[in-house]
């Protein structure tokens, strides 16, 4: 989590929060195979709402330690922080509201990520929770701790992955 905090601070220092919704901070549509630079920070138009889905496609790096996917309210509250750790083969989830981290969740039925292999993560925003699937299989639920959902307007990705598509 310390690495993610450092990335968030770097993004704040670059003042990316002022460019949400502009083309340089959102996923390119012209070339679907274009790689997106990691660390990545992009806007979610209109924020989240039940029925909205975020799809992240990428490839795990050759010798990964970890990678993070976070849904945030700008660079402030963290609605979902998903930290994938390869050494321990675990996926930690948490939320940070008003600078206070909640209880961490770690139970998963399987570890779906493999070095140098492609993946597809789908984050479905439902009324009470996020439903997260990897390669079409349900991995976990994460009940909302941040409201309103429309305030969740940013996605941040960092660590040992290459992103090939985001929508």
């Amino acid at each position: 989590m310390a690495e993610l905090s450092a990335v968030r601070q770097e993004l704040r220092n670059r003042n990316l929060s002022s460019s949400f919704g502009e083309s340089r901070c959102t996923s390119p549509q012209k070339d679907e195979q274009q790689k997106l630079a990691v660390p990545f920070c992009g806007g979610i138009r209109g924020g989240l709402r039940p029925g909205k889905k975020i799809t992240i496609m990428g490839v795990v790096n050759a010798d990964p330690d970890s990678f993070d996917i976070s849904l945030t309210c700008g660079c402030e509250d963290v609605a979902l922080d998903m930290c994938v750790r390869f050494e321990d083969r675990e996926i930690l989830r948490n939320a940070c509201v008003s600078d206070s981290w909640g209880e961490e969740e770690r139970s998963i039925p399987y570890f779906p990520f493999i070095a140098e292999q492609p993946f597809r993560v789908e984050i479905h925003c439902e009324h009470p929770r996020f439903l997260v699937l990897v390669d079409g299989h349900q991995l976990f639920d994460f009940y909302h701790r941040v409201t309103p959902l429309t305030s969740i307007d940013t996605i941040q990705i960092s660590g040992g992955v290459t992103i090939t598509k985001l929508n």
Side-chain angles (χ1 to χ4, degrees):
M1 298 276 177
E3 178 184 318
L4 182 60
S5 295
V7 170
R8 283 199 185 101
Q9 185 60 44
E10 178 184 332
L11 293 171
R12 277 190 207 109
N13 292 342
R14 285 197 243 158
N15 200 23
L16 288 178
S17 60
S18 66
S19 67
F20 296 145
E22 294 178 15
S23 61
R24 72 182 177 119
C25 204
T26 57
S27 179
Q29 300 297 318
K30 293 178 183 173
D31 182 4
E32 292 184 358
Q33 296 304 313
Q34 181 176 348
K35 293 180 181 175
L36 303 167
V38 174
F40 174 83
C41 178
I44 301 170
R45 280 195 197 120
L48 290 180
R49 65 181 180 283
K52 200 162 190 177
K53 173 176 78 168
I54 297 171
T55 303
I56 304 150
M57 296 176 69
V59 179
V60 177
N61 291 354
D63 189 23
D65 290 325
S66 65
F67 72 88
D68 296 282
I69 299 172
S70 298
L71 301 178
T72 68
C73 304
C75 289
E76 300 300 322
D77 287 347
V78 179
L80 171 63
D81 181 46
M82 179 176 134
C83 180
V84 178
R85 294 186 177 174
F86 286 86
E87 184 176 334
D88 299 324
R89 298 180 56 80
E90 63 184 0
I91 301 173
L92 308 177
R93 288 99 56 201
N94 208 342
C96 182
V97 180
S98 301
D99 293 323
S100 178
W101 286 97
E103 185 176 337
E104 193 171 71
E105 298 177 17
R106 33 177 92 222
S107 174
I108 53 172
Y110 64 99
F111 187 79
F113 299 101
I114 301 169
E116 299 183 348
Q117 294 298 307
F119 64 86
R120 176 187 177 110
V121 173
E122 296 176 31
I123 303 172
H124 295 259
C125 183
E126 298 182 345
H127 178 62
R129 66 187 177 173
F130 294 113
L131 171 64
V132 178
L133 293 88
V134 177
D135 298 326
H137 301 282
Q138 183 174 350
L139 187 60
F140 64 85
D141 294 328
F142 188 82
Y143 285 85
H144 298 303
R145 301 180 192 175
V146 171
T147 56
L149 297 176
T150 55
S151 68
I152 306 167
D153 62 0
T154 306
I155 182 167
Q156 299 177 8
I157 303 170
S158 62
V161 293
T162 300
I163 302 303
T164 56
K165 185 175 181 179
L166 176 64
N167 60 6

